Amino acid sequence: TTNNISEDLLSSKVTINYKPGWVKKQDLLFCLKTSRETDKKMGYTQHGVHRADIEFLSEQHRFASTSSRGQVKLFIAILLIAQARVIEVITGEKPMYLIDDYAAELDVSVRAKLISLLLQQETQVFLTTTEPVSELTTIKKAKMFHVERGKLTEMVE
């Protein structure tokens, strides 16, 4: 599950809190009808699906405000992997992962865990990085390329 993955990689449990955009205990139509006059005066609708929001919390605090940029980047990667898994189950098609600037803001141990998680997906992964990263050299089927001034060359060990 996504929580198990997030706890392993982030060392904390992240909870998802969905806010529907209207009072939870009331029907949406009721909320719209009762606030109609006020909405007209204010010039906008106070309730509705357009007011919905999702919060990601860690220990009851907003995850993005209490976490490092690297942790946020890693959490987004975990969410995208979870989303890809759902799409794979629904369509039966394996996703392809494209990760730009893979090494930025992630330390070596976290990058290794992320690579391990990506390899478990048994699908094609494209990573870009501006610096050599040691954990990629251990992957048997990996191919590394160097791009300079628009010229692509395969790097051979």
Side-chain angles (χ1 to χ4, degrees), residues 14-17 54-58 61-64 75 79:
V14 178
T15 57
I16 301 171
N17 184 20
I54 298 175
E55 284 183 323
F56 299 99
L57 305 171
S58 177
H61 300 285
R62 292 181 70 94
F63 182 76
F75 182 65
L79 285 176

Side-chain angles (χ1 to χ4, degrees), residues 1 11 16 24 28 30 32 36 43 52 61 65 70 73 81 83 90 96 103-104 106 125 133-134 142 153 157:
T1 67
S11 302
I16 301 171
K24 289 181 183 180
L28 173 59
F30 176 78
L32 292 172
R36 185 176 179 134
H61 300 285
S65 62
K73 179 178 179 175
I81 290 169
Q83 178 186 32
I90 292 170
M96 178 189 310
L106 300 177
V125 178
V133 286
S134 59
T153 55
E157 302 258 328

